[in-house]
Amino acid sequence: MGVFINVQGGGTGTGLSQVAQGAVDLGNSDVFAEEKEGIDANKLVDHQVAVVGITPILNRKNGVTNLTTAQLSDIFTGKITNWSQVGGNNLDIVLINRAAGSGTRATFEKWGLDGAKSREAQEQDSSGMVRSIVSTTPGAISYVAFGYVDDSVVAPKFNQVAPTDKNVMTGQYPIWSYEHVYTKGKPNSKTQKFLDYLSSSHVQNTLVKKLGYISIHDMQIHRDVDGKITNK
Amino acid sequence: MDSIQEKLVKRSKSTNRDLMGKGISLSALVLIVLIVLSIFVFVTSRGLATFFHDGISVKDFLFGTTWNPSVTNPKTDHPYIGALPMILGSFLVTFLSALLATPFAIGTALFMTEIAKKRGAKIMQPVIELLVGIPSVVYGFIGLTIVVPVIRHIFGGSGFGILAGTIVLFVMILPTITSMTVDTLKSVPGHYRESALAIGATRWQMIYKVILRAATPGILTAIVFGMARAFGEALAVQMVIGNAALMPHNLISASSTLTSVLTMGIGNTVMGSLQNDVLWTLALILLIMSLVFNLIVRAIGRKGEMK
């Protein structure tokens, strides 16, 4: 008999709270456990297995190809309400958010909006849905992981840096997060085996890339929970 | 002699079976009551934690207009937990869809019972039963791929909003209201119709003045049942309403309902945190509302019995 692995879906809170309760061996999260309210991070051990880049996406009619941090946070906090205010066409801005508390949103607010919290707006909980709404609604802006960007939407440069895997690896493009696997305490031997498998170069070069993530081995920098960047 | 005595004194096989049946039904009843009670106790205790544990006032919760539980209001030092936008959203989609569905439901039911009995039973009955059985995610998906783009095309904006939610719920509760109205109309005694026709009423006069009058309590019950379904529907509404916890200022701007906020948020919060507690409080409101709908149905049943 081999080892069976049961996989269960759920939002960002689910993985962390389940592993903290000891209900599961491995709890996945795209934010640091320290960043999630109600989780005792001291008991959890972090294993970073991949990196995901997140980019704003715009409707093609908005006419904007670059956004600065200040512009982006003014857009999401409601200080800017028309694309003409940031050099685009005369179109009202339509915000589309991810669910409050989701990791994508937390990462985007932390690194894309410089910590500002978005104002209340329409929320969608799947990336595919977000992209299809943005592509069909003039004036719309939202954000998705790199893997979801296609020709139907525009992924603008952020502070003149293009949202590419390469720019994430070198640390020039800041809106990204680690994909964490948390264990409660030190993993047991079976769990450790699975973790080794996840970070093996085979998985990192095939599955991870196929799903639109960035291999943890390709990162030239390391960023800790406080955002401090060190060269690897 | 002995065998007769034994027969009289000892329990017979059928008595035993009788007792066993009694025991099984009683334990089933106890189990269900226990489940309902524990759901009530659980939701209530988690839902009230917002007020007792996190120290938020009921008034702020029910009448506050800003919902953003992860952001703290610098003035009050509490997070923004005004649930009024969702409460309003839920009531709006419920009332609007019931308002829209009722005339269609009564019309269809009248057609099936009074005007074309045979065709009604042959064609409409299976259609309605089919509509009741379609899972809500299918309704939501159709709403997302057809209703939302059409609204976007006609009115502009994103297409998501109360109007889209109302239209999807209208289709969902129509069969519920229709089939219950059909039952009510069928239960109007035949001699009402015969008497009305005998004194010279036309068919329309008979329907309007006699049958609908006699069936009013039943029709009201049907509407309340439809509303209860609309109020509790989560998935289909979440897919088309846009999920923005903002005060609904028109029918085509993104809004939210109690259920849509719950389904969006529950996976992203951690048990025991305030963000999670407030969701349980929303669940408590939903539970109380379904209780209210039940009480209304009972009140109608008591007051409006056909005499």
Side-chain angles (χ1 to χ4, degrees):
Chain A
M1 292 287 270
V3 177
F4 288 94
I5 299 165
N6 282 316
V7 182
Q8 186 195 322
T12 301
T14 314
L16 285 171
S17 61
Q18 297 271 310
V19 73
Q21 287 164 15
V24 294
D25 294 323
L26 303 155
N28 295 355
S29 164
D30 49 4
V31 294
F32 281 94
E34 288 85 348
E35 293 173 312
K36 191 81 195 169
E37 206 159 317
I39 293 288
D40 185 4
N42 291 329
K43 288 187 209 145
L44 299 176
V45 181
D46 185 10
H47 311 271
Q48 294 162 356
V49 295
V51 166
V52 62
I54 292 161
T55 174
I57 51 169
L58 314 175
N59 183 276
R60 301 197 76 89
K61 292 196 180 123
N62 299 1
V64 172
T65 51
N66 178 60
L67 286 167
T68 64
T69 312
Q71 285 171 337
L72 205 55
S73 74
D74 282 353
I75 287 170
F76 273 87
T77 50
K79 281 184 203 124
I80 293 178
T81 55
N82 193 297
W83 286 108
S84 61
Q85 289 168 274
V86 288
N89 299 324
N90 181 21
L91 267 176
D92 281 339
I93 294 176
V94 179
L95 292 187
I96 293 149
N97 257 325
R98 306 303 294 275
S102 87
T104 312
R105 178 157 167 184
T107 305
F108 183 74
E109 285 176 345
K110 185 169 180 182
W111 297 103
L113 309 184
D114 201 18
K117 296 278 184 196
S118 169
R119 83 184 166 88
E120 193 48 54
Q122 176 169 170
E123 285 178 12
Q124 292 295 336
D125 62 357
S126 84
S127 303
M129 177 79 90
V130 164
R131 184 182 62 201
S132 96
I133 296 172
V134 170
S135 69
T136 51
T137 312
I141 178 171
S142 189
Y143 40 92
V144 293
F146 284 1
Y148 285 94
V149 177
D150 67 7
D151 285 343
S152 66
V153 292
V154 175
K157 285 182 181 167
F158 180 60
N159 298 326
Q160 299 297 346
V161 181
T164 61
D165 288 358
K166 196 151 199 131
N167 287 334
V168 171
M169 293 170 202
T170 55
Q172 281 173 289
Y173 184 85
I175 316 175
W176 55 270
S177 67
Y178 287 110
E179 299 289 353
H180 306 264
V181 178
Y182 278 98
T183 53
K184 192 177 186 181
K186 235 173 85 98
N188 64 32
S189 67
K190 273 182 193 163
T191 312
Q192 184 60 51
K193 233 174 163 178
F194 183 67
L195 286 168
D196 291 343
Y197 170 73
L198 282 181
S199 48
S200 70
S201 53
H202 173 67
V203 170
Q204 291 286 330
N205 286 327
T206 54
L207 287 178
V208 166
K209 284 183 182 162
K210 211 163 125 193
L211 295 171
Y213 298 105
I214 299 163
S215 164
I216 195 81
H217 301 319
D218 291 342
M219 292 301 289
Q220 293 164 24
I221 54 156
H222 181 266
R223 194 168 71 188
D224 68 9
V225 60
D226 302 316
K228 228 179 83 191
I229 292 169
T230 44
N231 280 319
K232 251 178 148 176
Chain B
M1 197 62 194
D2 269 0
S3 74
I4 292 176
Q5 196 183 9
E6 203 178 321
K7 237 186 187 172
L8 286 173
V9 176
K10 270 202 166 176
R11 277 193 212 154
S12 72
K13 221 176 178 182
S14 19
T15 316
N16 274 336
R17 275 203 201 132
D18 197 44
L19 280 176
M20 203 172 79
K22 222 182 190 173
I24 291 174
S25 23
L26 188 71
S27 51
L29 181 87
V30 169
L31 185 72
I32 288 173
V33 170
L34 268 181
I35 291 173
V36 171
L37 271 183
S38 47
I39 289 176
F40 239 95
V41 169
F42 184 71
V43 173
T44 311
S45 69
R46 302 250 32 126
L48 291 179
T50 305
F51 306 121
F52 294 119
H53 181 256
D54 302 312
I56 281 160
S57 84
V58 180
K59 197 179 121 251
D60 286 352
F61 189 84
L62 290 181
F63 300 107
T65 54
T66 314
W67 176 266
N68 207 344
S70 50
V71 180
T72 306
N73 184 346
K75 277 187 215 143
T76 60
D77 226 29
H78 283 309
Y80 292 100
I81 36 71
L84 193 61
M86 288 90 82
I87 296 173
L88 263 184
S90 275
F91 277 105
L92 271 176
V93 290
T94 304
F95 282 116
L96 288 176
S97 57
L99 208 63
L100 203 61
T102 304
F104 286 94
I106 295 178
T108 315
L110 280 174
F111 183 83
M112 285 168 63
T113 54
E114 308 296 330
I115 295 167
K117 270 189 191 171
K118 271 197 184 152
R119 262 185 299 164
K122 237 189 203 160
I123 307 168
M124 286 312 289
Q125 195 69 33
V127 169
I128 286 170
E129 279 161 15
L130 190 75
L131 282 177
V132 174
I134 295 178
S136 57
V137 63
V138 176
Y139 283 112
F141 196 59
I142 294 171
L144 189 63
T145 45
I146 296 171
V147 177
V148 170
V150 167
I151 293 175
R152 178 164 53 221
H153 192 73
I154 299 175
F155 299 104
S158 70
F160 291 87
I162 291 198
L163 182 62
T166 302
I167 291 171
V168 169
L169 283 177
F170 156 69
V171 183
M172 289 183 72
I173 65 174
L174 185 62
T176 313
I177 303 182
T178 307
S179 62
M180 286 183 69
T181 306
V182 166
D183 292 342
T184 313
L185 292 179
K186 274 186 184 158
S187 71
V188 174
H191 62 260
Y192 279 36
R193 296 181 181 84
E194 288 145 20
S195 319
L197 294 174
I199 57 171
T202 62
R203 183 159 72 177
W204 172 242
Q205 284 169 330
M206 171 195 79
I207 290 173
Y208 185 65
K209 304 233 169 188
V210 179
I211 295 177
L212 283 184
R213 289 292 151 88
T216 303
I219 295 175
L220 285 178
T221 309
I223 297 170
V224 175
F225 261 100
M227 283 169 64
R229 182 169 187 206
F231 200 82
E233 175 54 40
L235 200 57
V237 175
Q238 189 218 315
M239 288 168 84
V240 299
I241 201 157
N243 308 313
L246 298 167
M247 291 296 277
H249 47 90
N250 62 41
L251 292 183
I252 51 162
S253 70
S255 313
S256 59
T257 62
L258 292 165
T259 48
S260 77
V261 170
L262 261 177
T263 48
M264 289 288 289
I266 206 88
N268 289 315
T269 55
V270 178
M271 197 81 166
S273 63
L274 176 127
Q275 286 85 344
N276 190 266
D277 288 344
V278 289
L279 294 179
W280 283 107
T281 313
L282 298 184
L284 182 63
I285 295 177
L286 278 171
L287 199 67
I288 292 172
M289 275 315 296
S290 70
L291 206 69
V292 169
F293 281 124
N294 259 318
L295 291 177
I296 294 174
V297 167
R298 281 175 170 265
I300 294 172
R302 255 204 315 276
K303 276 210 170 160
E305 269 165 19
M306 234 182 272
K307 281 161 203 151

